[in-house]
Amino acid sequence: MEDLILPQTVRYRVQQRIKSGDSMALKKQRIRSSFNLGGEQAEADSLLEEAFFETGDYEMIESRTESKCFVIGRTGAGKSAALSRIEDLHPEHVIRINPEDLSLPYITNLQAIRWLDSLEVNLDQFWIALWKHVILVEVIRHRYKVDSPVAKSNMLANLRDWIRNDRTKAAALEYLDEFEGRFWCEADERVKEITDTFSQKVSAEAGVKFGVPAIDLTAGTSGELGRSTATRAELVDRFQRLVNETQLARLNKMMEILNDHVLDSEQHFTYLIIDDLDRDWVDERVANDLIRCLFSTVVSLKRVTRLRILVALRTNIFQELDFGKRGAAQEEKFRALVLPLRWTRTSLERLLDERVKAATSGEEEGPKTVRALLPHANKTRGNPLDYILDRTLLRPRDAISFVNLCLRESVDKRAVSWEAIQAAEPGYSEGRLLALRDEWKLTYPGIDQVLNKLRGCSSAMSVPEFVAVLEDIALLTAEADFPGTQWLTTATAGVWAAAEGEAWHVTYGPLLKVLYSLGIVGIAADGSKAPKFHLDDPALIDRRSRMDTCKSVYVHRMLHSALDVRRPQERRGQAPEDY
């Protein structure tokens, strides 16, 4: 009871209630060790269903008429949570395709596929046909509950009866007949069958036309044939035509059947969800092509009016997609269909409030908002919720993680104190540093070593101070064991070839842009003391007029503790200023 400051009469009554065993009221007001605001990941979040907060972005995702279909966001932004919410609310209308279940690693490891890839044959038409087949069959299976040969026969008979007078559509149905005995099987079996058939065609063609044994369809074989430019050109031309002769024509007709006869009413409206494309589900060598061709497939299937396909993808993977193969117009089309997930301070506070309510739903007493859990604001320390959100990248995962750690430091207390927040911050900051590394290590190998160059720096650096840090980072390219030499060499090319008199942000621009886009540093331009980060102004770093007035570069507060960042006044023995 030492932590309670109560009037003497009230303290006496409390003591009497405790002596009589009636301490329930106090117990309800104390933070239990099991009390938290849910898990940081959708699949491990016990409060997701009960405390889901519907933002405007989610309303667009759930809408049956919204055209945007690519849900893009950084790790922890809520992509998977939003798609899981749709599954919870519309279980009879949702199909989920897991990339890991499609045997795509099996496909990319086939000798024939590797051989064609080594010849630089464009496999886009094959990948698009494969995606279309998977999606079309999954939708038909879901609509007609096709799980046996009898169910398949009945479904085909019904479709034929509806379109008997349309010869082109009837011909499209023959496509399904080609998978007799396999239609109701799992997707990975059907994918393997399609690919094996294609591989056999490639092997046969290579043997008949060019005398290449099937067993020799390896990268080494293409290298031998590549010695003859004419032979190689003939190979590429022939197999490019073979790839282009896939079943796309009949698949496109199947889309008409899907729209006119399968999903023929609103009661059959279907969401098709594709998530987890950021996991190690396929050889990185072809992942870009597979995802890009998936995007093309989704765009073409938008003509099916009662089918809403939603593809979730991490921001860094989307940025790496090479749309150039499809032309600028195609890239523009894709980007017009992107829904970037963004959160504001207000929406994050409301999300935390919903979770507090859900976590205390069985208790009459206790806090019902996140502010009620936290200490009061004061002039010395400021607002505790602002303090927490200032140390996030405005993502649900960050905010939930920080508050949960604060609660862990407050077990058996009536509320979270400022001391608990400060005790929780080092662990939270270390966790975010590791999460940042894991999020970007495929795009920027060695990013953890780059971040380590900021260790012990000032939270607000002058331009010369920051340039010195950037030069230290550039020197990593000379270290034999640094895994990110390729990307860092590109990002620091201007450092080694700097022209005299060139503005600092031009010379160091590519490297600065990496740190800025990841949210690691912010810029104070136009004489302002308050820095702007990527969340505030994604395009700031590209505007020379603003960068010319840059006076200071700031490290994000989220990383201060983990990187031992010093505040400017600490060097002069003064009280630190919380930028």
Side-chain angles (χ1 to χ4, degrees):
M1 299 302 301
E2 294 78 13
D3 58 322
L4 298 179
I5 302 175
L6 301 172
Q8 184 174 356
T9 55
V10 176
R11 187 183 305 119
Y12 174 80
R13 291 173 185 170
V14 169
Q15 290 171 345
Q16 292 302 307
R17 291 175 68 183
I18 292 176
K19 288 178 181 179
S20 65
D22 183 14
S23 58
M24 185 60 68
L26 287 179
K27 287 182 180 179
K28 287 182 179 179
Q29 295 181 24
R30 296 202 178 263
I31 296 173
R32 303 181 303 276
S33 59
S34 60
F35 182 71
N36 61 70
L37 301 192
E40 298 173 26
Q41 298 180 338
E43 56 267 27
D45 189 355
S46 59
L47 296 181
L48 179 61
E49 183 176 354
E50 187 178 357
F52 187 85
F53 175 65
E54 297 186 2
T55 64
D57 285 345
Y58 173 77
E59 292 173 359
M60 293 177 68
I61 293 171
E62 188 186 17
S63 170
R64 295 188 174 192
T65 58
E66 173 59 47
S67 62
K68 295 184 184 298
C69 46
F70 305 120
V71 183
I72 310 299
R74 290 188 63 170
T75 299
K79 304 181 296 298
S80 295
L83 298 184
S84 295
R85 178 67 169 178
I86 291 176
E87 282 188 290
D88 292 338
L89 295 180
H90 311 283
E92 298 300 318
H93 296 270
V94 174
I95 301 169
R96 179 182 281 270
I97 293 178
N98 294 311
E100 292 178 342
D101 297 337
L102 296 180
S103 294
L104 293 175
Y106 168 84
I107 298 170
T108 57
N109 285 326
L110 284 175
Q111 288 183 333
I113 299 298
R114 286 186 173 274
W115 188 60
L116 293 177
D117 185 57
S118 70
L119 285 171
E120 299 184 354
V121 172
N122 188 331
L123 293 171
D124 280 10
Q125 295 297 306
F126 175 69
W127 299 133
I128 290 172
L130 197 62
W131 280 119
K132 283 188 176 181
H133 174 83
V134 168
I135 292 172
L136 286 165
V137 174
E138 288 301 308
V139 171
I140 293 173
R141 287 185 68 206
H142 179 266
R143 165 68 173 85
Y144 294 106
K145 307 294 188 291
V146 179
D147 55 5
S148 69
V150 173
K152 180 211 171 185
S153 297
N154 292 337
M155 178 272 296
L156 289 175
N158 288 334
L159 287 177
R160 285 195 181 93
D161 187 53
W162 287 333
I163 61 175
R164 64 179 61 180
N165 295 323
D166 190 325
R167 292 184 178 179
T168 57
K169 288 183 178 179
L173 284 177
E174 295 175 6
Y175 180 81
L176 300 180
D177 282 336
E178 294 179 11
F179 299 93
E180 185 69 38
R182 288 285 187 178
F183 187 83
W184 58 89
C185 296
E186 293 301 322
D188 64 325
E189 294 184 48
R190 297 195 306 273
V191 167
K192 284 182 180 179
E193 183 177 30
I194 294 170
T195 312
D196 285 343
T197 300
F198 176 71
S199 182
Q200 290 166 13
K201 289 181 180 179
V202 172
S203 297
E205 189 73 19
V208 172
K209 297 288 186 182
F210 303 99
V212 181
I215 195 172
D216 291 335
L217 290 183
T218 64
T221 302
S222 70
E224 294 173 8
L225 290 170
R227 294 174 186 173
S228 168
T229 304
T231 302
R232 183 180 180 87
E234 186 179 2
L235 273 170
V236 172
D237 180 67
R238 177 59 196 139
F239 288 110
Q240 189 64 67
R241 281 187 280 122
L242 186 64
V243 170
N244 295 343
E245 290 169 1
T246 53
Q247 300 282 3
L248 281 179
R250 287 198 289 178
L251 277 167
N252 290 336
K253 281 297 179 182
M254 281 301 304
M255 285 194 288
E256 293 183 29
I257 295 174
L258 203 65
N259 186 64
D260 299 341
H261 303 287
V262 178
L263 304 179
D264 56 343
S265 67
E266 280 301 312
Q267 74 180 81
H268 298 133
F269 185 93
T270 301
Y271 296 97
L272 190 142
I273 291 170
I274 303 177
D275 196 3
D276 297 330
L277 286 167
D278 51 345
R279 296 183 178 177
D280 297 331
W281 53 278
V282 71
D283 188 340
E284 185 182 354
R285 182 175 51 85
V286 294
N288 187 300
D289 288 345
L290 280 167
I291 296 174
R292 181 173 45 75
C293 290
L294 170 61
F295 274 42
S296 293
T297 303
V298 172
V299 171
S300 67
L301 282 167
K302 289 186 71 62
R303 71 185 72 174
V304 183
T305 57
R306 284 171 287 276
L307 176 64
R308 180 85 196 277
I309 303 179
L310 295 165
V311 179
L313 195 64
R314 230 166 50 194
T315 300
N316 60 306
I317 298 177
F318 179 71
Q319 290 174 348
E320 292 172 22
L321 291 181
D322 181 11
F323 293 114
K325 293 182 179 180
R326 306 289 295 177
Q330 191 76 357
E331 178 177 356
E332 185 177 354
K333 182 189 298 183
F334 289 151
R335 295 190 183 280
L337 298 174
V338 165
L339 174 61
L341 287 188
R342 294 193 179 99
W343 291 79
T344 64
R345 288 172 174 268
T346 299
S347 59
L348 278 179
E349 180 177 356
R350 293 177 65 185
L351 176 144
L352 293 173
D353 285 347
E354 290 297 322
R355 288 177 172 269
V356 172
K357 290 176 186 176
T360 60
S361 60
E363 302 178 7
E364 295 181 4
E365 300 182 39
K368 299 301 178 184
T369 67
V370 67
R371 289 183 184 272
L373 273 178
L374 301 175
H376 294 298
N378 59 58
K379 292 182 179 179
T380 303
R381 288 172 162 170
N383 184 297
L385 184 57
D386 287 344
Y387 185 94
I388 289 172
L389 295 181
D390 283 345
R391 285 154 181 77
T392 72
L393 295 179
L394 293 186
R395 302 180 295 190
R397 185 175 298 178
D398 297 345
I400 293 170
S401 174
F402 202 162
V403 175
N404 279 344
L405 287 172
C406 291
L407 291 171
R408 190 179 301 173
E409 295 289 338
S410 307
V411 173
D412 290 333
K413 302 294 176 60
R414 297 183 64 175
V416 176
S417 65
W418 273 106
E419 288 72 23
I421 294 174
Q422 292 170 344
E425 185 173 352
Y428 165 77
S429 184
E430 286 289 348
R432 292 307 92 193
L433 180 64
L434 292 175
L436 196 65
R437 177 203 65 187
D438 292 342
E439 181 181 1
W440 295 97
K441 64 184 178 183
L442 292 180
T443 306
Y444 301 114
I447 189 65
D448 52 333
Q449 296 180 47
V450 170
L451 288 168
N452 200 48
K453 293 299 182 181
L454 292 167
R455 189 171 299 278
C457 71
S458 173
S459 62
M461 291 175 277
S462 66
V463 168
E465 286 178 308
F466 184 59
V467 164
V469 172
L470 293 179
E471 290 177 346
D472 280 346
I473 293 173
L475 290 173
L476 285 171
T477 57
E479 297 184 8
D481 60 345
F482 179 66
T485 299
Q486 184 174 354
W487 73 264
L488 189 56
T489 298
T490 301
T492 58
V495 177
W496 309 114
E500 186 176 352
E502 188 71 85
W504 76 275
H505 54 84
V506 174
T507 301
Y508 299 91
L511 180 55
L512 172 62
K513 189 167 185 175
V514 170
L515 300 178
Y516 184 79
S517 64
L518 269 56
I520 296 168
V521 300
I523 305 296
D526 295 330
S528 172
K529 290 185 178 180
K532 295 285 186 182
F533 286 85
H534 188 266
L535 283 169
D536 307 311
D537 187 351
L540 181 148
I541 205 146
D542 296 319
R543 294 197 292 270
R544 178 157 187 167
S545 60
R546 296 291 303 279
M547 293 303 298
D548 283 340
T549 63
C550 174
K551 301 299 181 184
S552 302
V553 179
Y554 291 72
V555 179
H556 198 285
R557 290 186 178 109
M558 179 180 75
L559 302 174
H560 280 193
S561 180
L563 293 177
D564 299 319
V565 171
R566 296 175 289 113
R567 296 178 186 135
Q569 289 80 2
E570 291 179 311
R571 292 173 298 175
R572 301 190 295 270
Q574 300 177 9
E577 178 183 288
D578 184 31
Y579 104 68

